Amino acid sequence: MKILYICTHNRCRSILSEAITNHLAPDLIVAKSAGSQPAGAVHPLSLHYLDEAGIATDSLHSQSWDELEDFAPDLVITVCDSAANEACPVWFGNAVQVHWGLSDPSKVQGSDEETEHAFRECINTIRQRVKTLIPLAEQQLRGQPLRDALNERGISKL
């Protein structure tokens, strides 16, 4: 299964989702991330907390969804509300599209402890959601069967 995570700036939540997915299901899922208005750099705390969790970060970079035109995802997951409201490129084709509203830990205003908590909570939420996708990847579902399976499990409503 191929998954494309979309977030407007592709610097935090979509990056975390890409890295965690590739870490948890390297033989089942190929995950990439992109944005409509990429920041051009991954948020340093995203890299820090992924490194701390033992998740590889060496291939992560902020990029435009235009750079992934040949990727042909089976599933497109928007992770921020602004990306969910954007018109997705036509080249997503028949990809199933769902939305995972994730709070942006990089925007937490507060102490270091509050920021740390926000990043760890976001990472844990992504882990749990990815774990619900793994059985669907094992079944090699695509198109309408994938959409039906996501709806049956409430995954598209997360």
Side-chain angles (χ1 to χ4, degrees):
M1 176 185 290
K2 292 183 187 178
I3 298 176
L4 177 59
Y5 291 100
I6 299 288
C7 192
T8 303
H9 300 296
N10 188 223
R11 59 178 271 196
C12 186
R13 292 166 286 180
S14 54
I15 293 285
L16 294 172
S17 298
E18 172 187 357
I20 292 166
T21 302
N22 287 327
H23 178 76
L24 291 177
D27 298 329
L28 292 170
I29 301 172
V30 175
K32 296 191 183 248
S33 67
S36 59
Q37 301 168 32
V42 177
H43 194 283
L45 289 177
S46 296
L47 298 174
H48 170 77
Y49 287 106
L50 287 168
D51 284 335
E52 180 184 88
I55 298 171
T57 61
D58 52 328
S59 65
L60 299 173
H61 60 283
S62 178
Q63 61 188 332
S64 169
W65 58 24
D66 293 331
E67 295 176 48
L68 296 174
E69 207 167 319
D70 295 330
F71 182 56
D74 301 300
L75 180 60
V76 174
I77 301 175
T78 54
V79 294
C80 70
D81 291 333
S82 58
N85 296 322
E86 292 179 13
C88 290
V90 172
W91 57 262
F92 285 173
N94 294 323
V96 175
Q97 297 179 26
V98 299
H99 177 65
W100 288 355
L102 296 170
S103 296
D104 189 347
S106 71
K107 294 197 174 172
V108 168
Q109 302 279 320
S111 67
D112 290 346
E113 291 80 18
E114 290 169 315
T115 300
E116 177 182 351
H117 175 74
F119 269 91
R120 289 193 174 144
E121 186 174 301
C122 187
I123 287 169
N124 286 333
T125 298
I126 294 165
R127 277 185 209 266
Q128 293 309 310
R129 292 180 182 183
V130 169
K131 287 178 182 177
T132 65
L133 295 175
I134 291 173
L136 304 180
E138 289 172 336
Q139 295 174 47
Q140 300 180 5
L141 297 177
R142 307 280 186 279
Q144 191 61 46
L146 175 59
R147 180 178 282 107
D148 293 344
L150 291 167
N151 286 334
E152 286 170 13
R153 291 164 177 80
I155 293 171
S156 61
K157 299 173 186 142
L158 295 178

